[in-house]
Amino acid sequence: MSVDANQPAGTRPAVLFVCVKNGGKSQMAAGLMKHETGNRVTVTSGGTTPGTAINALSAEVLLDLGVDITAQKPKMLTRQSMLAAGLVVVLGAEAKVPAIDGVRVETWETDEPSLRGIEGRQRMELVRDDIHARIKDLAARLQRRT
C-alpha cells in the first residue's frame, strides 16, 4: 500500500538522520529524503554535538540536484526526537546514539573519499552520491512498510 501524502505526520513513516555536527551528512540525507519522498515520510535530523552552521560545500552540491538545505540549522539530537522517529540512521562511525527501547538504529558507513586523497567539491559530490543511493533504497523500504 502506498503512503497518502495527506496522512497526518504520526501515521507516516518517519526517520531521523544523525551525525556529529548535523551540518553535513545528516543534513544532506534529510534533504535528499525529502526530495525523494516529498511529504510521504516525516524527516528530521540532529547532531550529537551540533555545529553552528550548515557545511557550505554540502549545501552547494545538493543545489546541483535541486535540493536546498541552506536555511537549515544544526540541531541537538534528543531522546524525544529519536522516539518520535522510531528509525534513526547514523551517518558515519563517529556519532554514537543511545539505545532506546522501540527505536531502531541503522548505521551507514558512508564513503569517505578523503581517505583516497580526494578533497574539495569532488569529495563532497562522491559523499552526496553515496548518501543519495542509500536514501533511494531506504525510501523504497519505508514506503513498502506502510
Side-chain angles (χ1 to χ4, degrees):
M1 174 169 103
S2 66
V3 181
D4 181 348
N6 296 317
Q7 286 178 307
T11 61
R12 293 189 302 241
V15 62
L16 167 65
F17 294 102
V18 176
C19 65
V20 174
K21 293 183 180 179
N22 190 228
K25 291 179 181 180
S26 59
Q27 290 282 358
M28 292 175 81
L32 288 163
M33 180 61 84
K34 290 174 186 174
H35 178 73
E36 291 296 326
T37 64
N39 60 358
R40 296 183 309 271
V41 174
T42 300
V43 180
T44 54
S45 68
T48 55
T49 309
T52 57
I54 298 298
N55 178 298
L57 203 48
S58 294
E60 181 181 316
V61 300
L62 281 184
L63 283 171
D64 293 347
L65 301 179
V67 178
D68 187 356
I69 63 168
T70 57
Q72 298 300 314
K73 305 281 186 236
K75 297 167 286 302
M76 176 64 81
L77 173 69
T78 65
R79 178 181 177 84
Q80 181 179 356
S81 64
M82 291 178 69
L83 286 166
L87 172 60
V88 175
V89 176
V90 180
L91 289 100
E94 297 81 30
K96 305 296 181 203
V97 300
I100 299 175
D101 285 342
V103 176
R104 191 165 53 97
V105 177
E106 286 186 21
T107 300
W108 293 354
E109 295 288 337
T110 53
D111 183 28
E112 188 41 70
S114 63
L115 298 175
R116 300 186 305 274
I118 302 169
E119 298 293 342
R121 184 176 173 85
Q122 183 183 11
R123 172 191 171 269
M124 198 58 71
E125 288 171 346
L126 292 168
V127 169
R128 175 203 62 201
D129 293 347
D130 177 44
I131 293 171
H132 198 187
R134 294 167 188 264
I135 289 294
K136 288 178 181 179
D137 175 68
L138 178 59
R141 287 190 284 135
L142 288 174
Q143 292 178 74
R144 276 196 302 268
R145 283 191 204 144
T146 59

